[in-house]
Amino acid sequence: MAFFIASSPHAHSRRSTPDLMKWVALCALPGLAAQTYFFGWGTLIQLILALAVGLSLEALVMVCRKRSPISALRDNSAVVTAWLLAIAIPPFSPWWIVVIGLIFAIVIAKHLYGGIGQNLFNPAMVAYVVLLISFPVQMTSWVSPNELQATSISMRDAFSLIFTGFNLDGLSLQQIRTGIDGVTMATPLDAFKTALLTGNTASEAMSQPQFGALAGIGWEWVNLAYLIGGLALIKLRVISWHIPVSFLLGLTAASGLSLLLTPGETASPILHLLSGATMLGAFFIATDPVSASTTVKGRLIFGAFIGVMVFIIRSWGGFPDGVAFAVLLGNMCVPLIDYYTKPRTYGH
């Protein structure tokens, strides 16, 4: 009878990696449905394209590494990476955005480091940051919610926009992004930051048409949908509560303190929590078991650090949202965090 000895951390769950990855994708379905409802069919088309490209790249790389592609495809890690990238990019981005992003995510950020379990950074966020820096126009071309669009977008229009750059009526994405008042719409976070830079107060910025009752028409419901999916992940014990809770508390504390010190010049905690990729980042991205901290205290520090960094980047950075950058910065700090938060050896 063989006795195997393995180093910590020791997993106490009987779930396999494919099972965990499957539940991550299933719990992201409410958010996917909300995105599709408010922002059109482009999100769904991007997801199908991303899954096809991601699984093909995973199999191709495994063949090149002279390993079984079947076992790699069965762990569902490529599915989750492709899923996260597809829902993070604008829904009507050109098709090659997904292809280039997944090449970076799977080939470079994942397999260049040795494959699943060996990557230092979250592969989907590496791809997102590379795309955002390389193609800022395409990666910031979010359309306004359906109720604010001057032109409705059908599934055929969405397919045509993604693969040709024009809808069936010959309108470009830039023309479609023009809202009902003739002004090109921006995301709530981008619109808020631009309004402050042009001398408006926070209340004046929130009076723009894309802001709904809480944090932006469509965006607030998408974030609530991902919150529901994230709570389901915790309930199913797929993830622990430490990272998402400390992430949200860190973001709330930083934005709340800023609101107290500079009222009228900063976004409220509600806007930060229910806009952008906050809930997606807290529950589905920062909790990546490979690139996140592994100790209990470390997870709390890791999540809080990312939350504070999201606020800093959103407030003073060059990009409207900072979740991807904050997660990668947190990944960089994981070795240091784990080193200083190791549990004491039994008996000491």
Side-chain angles (χ1 to χ4, degrees), residues 257-272:
L257 180 62
S258 178
L259 187 63
L260 290 175
L261 296 176
T262 57
E265 300 179 11
T266 186
S268 67
I270 293 296
L271 179 61
H272 280 290

Side-chain angles (χ1 to χ4, degrees), residues 267-302:
S268 67
I270 293 296
L271 179 61
H272 280 290
L273 290 174
L274 296 181
S275 193
T278 301
M279 296 301 171
L280 177 65
F283 291 96
F284 293 89
I285 297 175
T287 54
D288 175 23
V290 177
S291 57
S293 179
T294 56
T295 66
V296 174
K297 292 181 180 178
R299 290 170 184 163
L300 294 172
I301 297 172
F302 176 77

Side-chain angles (χ1 to χ4, degrees), residues 46-296:
Q46 297 283 12
L47 176 61
I48 297 172
L49 174 63
L51 291 175
V53 173
L55 292 174
S56 299
L57 286 171
E58 181 84 359
L60 180 61
V61 172
M62 293 303 291
V63 170
C64 293
R65 295 179 63 188
K66 298 181 179 180
R67 298 186 179 183
S68 171
I70 302 300
S71 59
L73 294 176
R74 284 177 178 171
D75 65 26
N76 293 328
S77 61
V79 171
V80 172
T81 297
W83 193 300
L84 291 176
L85 182 62
I87 60 180
I89 65 175
F92 302 109
S93 300
W95 62 270
W96 46 265
I97 287 287
V98 168
V99 175
I100 294 175
L102 286 172
I103 290 174
F104 272 93
I106 293 177
V107 179
I108 297 177
K110 180 182 178 182
H111 284 285
L112 194 63
Y113 286 93
I116 185 172
Q118 305 297 321
N119 49 286
L120 302 178
F121 303 98
N122 185 292
M125 293 302 97
V126 170
Y128 183 88
V129 168
V130 169
L131 291 172
L132 185 60
I133 295 174
S134 303
F135 311 103
V137 174
Q138 289 80 5
M139 289 295 292
T140 54
S141 295
W142 283 86
V143 296
S144 57
N146 289 330
E147 61 185 273
L148 296 178
Q149 290 179 16
T151 304
S152 61
I153 304 176
S154 65
M155 180 180 287
R156 294 177 61 194
D157 284 324
F159 189 87
S160 180
L161 277 170
I162 292 171
F163 289 97
T164 68
F166 299 90
N167 70 354
L168 298 179
D169 295 326
L171 297 177
S172 67
L173 179 59
Q174 185 65 23
Q175 292 171 311
I176 293 175
R177 289 183 64 213
T178 302
I180 55 178
D181 57 356
V183 178
T184 300
M185 290 291 183
T187 63
L189 289 172
D190 196 11
F192 187 89
K193 179 182 287 188
T194 302
L196 292 183
L197 292 176
T198 54
N200 294 287
T201 64
S203 58
E204 291 172 338
M206 293 293 291
S207 65
Q208 298 182 63
Q210 59 263 56
F211 290 96
L214 295 174
I217 296 175
W219 292 94
E220 52 201 20
W221 293 108
V222 170
N223 273 275
L224 289 173
Y226 280 118
L227 172 61
I228 293 172
L231 293 176
L233 287 177
I234 295 176
K235 178 68 175 178
L236 294 168
R237 296 187 178 182
V238 175
I239 62 173
S240 66
W241 61 267
H242 303 85
I243 292 176
V245 169
S246 58
F247 179 117
L248 298 178
L249 286 178
L251 179 57
T252 302
S255 57
L257 180 62
S258 178
L259 187 63
L260 290 175
L261 296 176
T262 57
E265 300 179 11
T266 186
S268 67
I270 293 296
L271 179 61
H272 280 290
L273 290 174
L274 296 181
S275 193
T278 301
M279 296 301 171
L280 177 65
F283 291 96
F284 293 89
I285 297 175
T287 54
D288 175 23
V290 177
S291 57
S293 179
T294 56
T295 66
V296 174

